[in-house]
Every structure is written in structure tokens, then in C-alpha cells.
Amino acid sequence: MRVFSATLATETNTFAPMPTGLAGFKERGYYKAGQHPDHMSFFAGPLWAARLRGKAQGWTLCEGMVAAAQPSGTTTRAAYEALRDELLADLRAALPVDMVLLGLHGAMVADGYDDCEGDLLQRVRAIVGPQVVVGAELDPHNHLSEAMVQNADVLIAFKEYPHTDILERALELVDLCQAEAEGRVQPRAAVADTGGLVVMHTSRQPARGFVDRIQALEGKDGILSISISHGFPWGDVPDMGTKVLVYSDARVDADGARGAALARQLADELTALRHELEVPMPGIDQALDEALAFDGGPVVLADGADNPGGGAPGDSTFILQRLLERGIGNACIGPLWDPVAARIAFEAGAGATLNLRIGGKIGPLSGAPLDLRVTVQAVQPELMMTGLADTPTAMGDSAVVRCQGVDILLCSMRNQAMGSDVFTNIGVDLAAKKIIVVKSSQHFYASFSKLAKKVIYVAAPGAVTVDLKTLPYQKIRRPKWPID
């Protein structure tokens, strides 16, 4: 078996202020063909799974470019076209192949391209022809398009949110594509649109039970795979929304009726559950009141509106400002992306006391910069964090500064809080804190829930606001719940 695998992935917040250029990919993770390291990176699950399966079965694995960028604003045309064309050139150089396995996101938007993944898959299909099996792993926060479904034999999205099952889904993708290449299955796609946006935190019910149930359906009665495309609300493109993708085996489901009926049934069930799936989100002061009233700690507050994983800058000051104004100590907050403040604190060194302007640098949705008198508690060159699926994540040169009993983690690289070691690796004793504020929507949960006595999701201002009715959509299909 001759297999090609490559990655091109980012999640695009079309309302975010910062464009995504080539530097964003090279900072997060860019490897030329054949240069991917000896560990799995976040969106190279298919490549890593192909290494595992291929080694045991004697495959010839041709590894193409791997490029992934931190979620941000619209990708520049130059960056997308350059990376796309590099990946396609790697594919041409690898021909002939039996399978193409891609690591994609599904919500990448570039200047002139509302559907980057659909465009890429169309071009891949044109190169390899109809007989080669083409598969891709997706983030569930994708914009599932007709072009994506038509040009891929198999698309499989992570089932878990937080995304702890990247490798499991990649192995599933590789195995299903191999089965098709060997003539053992004939995947047929069926898509059903909920017509809205449905929140699915699989760490809580009823989403947990729903995902467990769809997994139990796979492998039975001709159903090969089920993926839920949650959708990404901060992408203003025609295909935005929550959808269900079912693959049935055409050898059993000849007319596709079984797969289509199941997709429709599951989409309708999600629609019926939408109110139960919503996450309570108090405002900043109410969230702080709830945290203080809770007997014990630590209490984790999730600042999802400033989540870098959704394209926000990660430098907003709204919650920090209220902590200080209310005199709430024994707290920590981060990671706050402020390369300038991080560098100044880093240069000053542990123990130094200085005046420092923190946060609020990117735009109005970051809040006002705070001029604080701080003491540097610790500095760490090239701070690392454990990312999802144990992927290493760089935070750059970082520092912890303290003001009025609040420890502020300043980082020079923009990433959301995923592993709790983003704090502990620089000396913050999380177990001793009453309040921990994390810049993340949900990916923090897998790690931080192990120490948190309570988790509160906060409705703060920011570029990833939960108040979708305030966003100036122009391209999405309307009406769409809960916007309309």
C-alpha cells in the first residue's frame, strides 16, 4: 500500500482582528515534507496514525507538508495559496498512491476562499482521480460543505469536546480508508442539517450520552461512521451550522436510505436537545460572586470570549480588572498573551518590582490596558504546556507577575489554556488558589477539571462572544437558531 499524508489546518474567526499569515503557521507548527518530528502534533493525527498502521503492514508512507496555525482572523490569500500549492506539489511528487490521508480543520477561511477545505479536496481529487481513496480528519467545529463531502471518500471528526480523541479518530479514519481501498467496504455519505447551532460539551450531559450512543451505533447494520459537525459560529460563511454526517456501507445500504434516515433522526434529536445542551454563563460579577460563595476551591472560571482557540487575542483585561477592583486575591489568570509585558518582566527577573502595562493591546474587545504595580514571581524561558491528546504546546518566554494577590501569567506565544501545567510549570500552586481564570472555552476542562472543585463558564466581552446576535453576519444561511 502506497499512502500519502499531509496537513493544512487552522480555524478562522472571520470577526477577529488579526489576519492569519505564513508567520502564524510557522510559529505554531510548520514542517516541510518528510520533516515531521517523532511525536504527534495536533492536526497531524492522520500522519501519525498512518505511521503506526503502516509500520506494522509494510506500507510506503509518503509524508507531505504539515502546517497548522493558531486560530485567528481570516487567512491571507498569499498564505493559503502558498501552503495549498506546496501540499499539492508534495502529493504530485508522491504519485502513484492508493490512499490520501489529510489532517484538516474544516473551518479555514481565506481571502477569496470561504471553503478552503472544499477547495483543497477538489484539487486533491483532480490530481489522484476517482479510484484513489481520499480521507480527512476534521475538528468538529467545522463548516461541513458539499464540496468537502463530494471530494472525500471519508471524513471523520473528533467526537470529544475537549478534543481528547484525536488519535482514536485518526486511527478510525486510516482503518476505514484502508478497508475501502481493499474493497471491504463502500462508504456512502449522508448529511442532515439541524438548521441551527447546537452546543456540545461532551464533558457533561446530555451531550455525553448522545456521543456514547452514536459510537454504539457505528459498526452495526451497515453504519460505518457518524460525525457531528458542531459548526463554528464565529465563521461567517454559507455552510456554518450544526450538521450530522453518517457513512453507511453501500453494499448493505444500496440506496443510501438507511444512512440518510439515521442522519436526519440524529439531527432532529440534537435540535430537540438544544436548550438542555446550552451551558449556563453568568456575567463577570455574578461569576465572581458564585466563586466566592462556593465553600472550598479552587474554582475555575472559563473566559471563553477571549479564547485564543477561537481566534481571540488572549489579552483581554475585563475579568482581571474586576478581580483587582473588587480586591479579590488568592487568584491567578492566564495565559495572557502580551509579548511586550512578558519580555519586560522576563528581563527584570524574579523578585523585581516594577510598573507594567498589561493586556488590552489588540483592540476594543480586549478591554483597556491595565497599568499595574507588580512583582515578578517567576520567569521561564520557552515555557511548555501539555496540549490536547498530550501534544506538546509552546508558550514562549513567559513570566508570572503578582498584583494585589492575583498572579498573572504572561506569555509571548498565543495559546489557550489546555494543560494545567501551563501554570504549574512556572511555579504557580493551583491547588492553593481560590479562583483560577483560564483563557479557554472548553479545552481546559480535560486537565483543569481534575483539580477544580467547581467550573464556571463566564459571559465576558471578547472576540469569541457567546452573544451571537451582536455579530454582523453577511454570508450565513438564515434563519439560524439561536441567532434568529
Side-chain angles (χ1 to χ4, degrees), residues 169-243:
R169 300 288 76 76
L171 290 168
E172 179 185 336
L173 173 75
V174 172
D175 292 345
L176 191 50
C177 287
Q178 180 185 3
E180 181 182 4
E182 295 175 349
R184 293 183 281 116
V185 297
Q186 188 177 344
R188 177 193 293 274
V191 178
D193 193 339
T194 67
L197 285 157
V198 182
V199 176
M200 288 190 67
H201 284 189
T202 59
S203 56
R204 56 198 293 273
Q205 296 293 0
R208 176 72 268 147
F210 186 86
V211 169
D212 290 342
R213 189 160 65 83
I214 66 173
Q215 285 189 285
L217 293 171
E218 294 175 322
K220 300 175 183 175
D221 301 321
I223 301 302
L224 300 174
S225 172
I226 304 171
S227 290
I228 310 299
S229 291
H230 301 194
F232 185 63
W234 301 276
D236 184 18
V237 296
D239 290 299
M240 189 270 280
T242 302
K243 302 172 187 177

Side-chain angles (χ1 to χ4, degrees), residues 435-479:
I435 294 174
I436 303 168
V437 182
V438 293
K439 299 285 186 177
S440 178
S441 297
Q442 173 67 354
H443 286 329
F444 73 92
Y445 193 90
S447 179
F448 283 83
S449 63
K450 296 174 183 176
L451 62 96
K453 299 300 185 290
K454 182 179 179 65
V455 174
I456 302 172
Y457 298 87
V458 187
V464 193
T465 176
V466 293
D467 188 359
L468 302 180
K469 295 179 181 180
T470 65
L471 297 176
Y473 293 104
Q474 296 181 357
K475 297 182 179 180
I476 64 170
R477 295 187 177 98
R478 312 289 286 262

Side-chain angles (χ1 to χ4, degrees), residues 29 38 51 53 81 195 221 233 253 268 310 324 381 412 417 445 447 460:
D38 191 26
R51 282 187 185 179
R53 291 291 192 254
E81 291 181 346
D221 301 321
D253 186 20
D268 291 343
L324 298 174
S412 55
Y445 193 90
S447 179

Side-chain angles (χ1 to χ4, degrees), residues 19 61 114 120 123 154 191 235 274 284 358 375 420:
L61 177 58
D114 282 344
L120 176 61
R123 293 170 188 271
V154 181
V191 178
R274 65 188 186 274
I284 294 174
I358 291 175
T375 299
S420 59

Side-chain angles (χ1 to χ4, degrees), residues 251-272:
R251 301 176 309 163
V252 177
D253 186 20
D255 61 358
R258 186 179 301 178
L262 179 58
R264 185 69 264 162
Q265 174 192 330
L266 294 173
D268 291 343
E269 288 181 18
L270 277 177
T271 300

Side-chain angles (χ1 to χ4, degrees), residues 353-367:
T353 297
L354 67 157
N355 297 322
L356 195 60
R357 174 164 285 192
I358 291 175
K361 291 182 170 60
I362 299 304
L365 292 178
S366 294

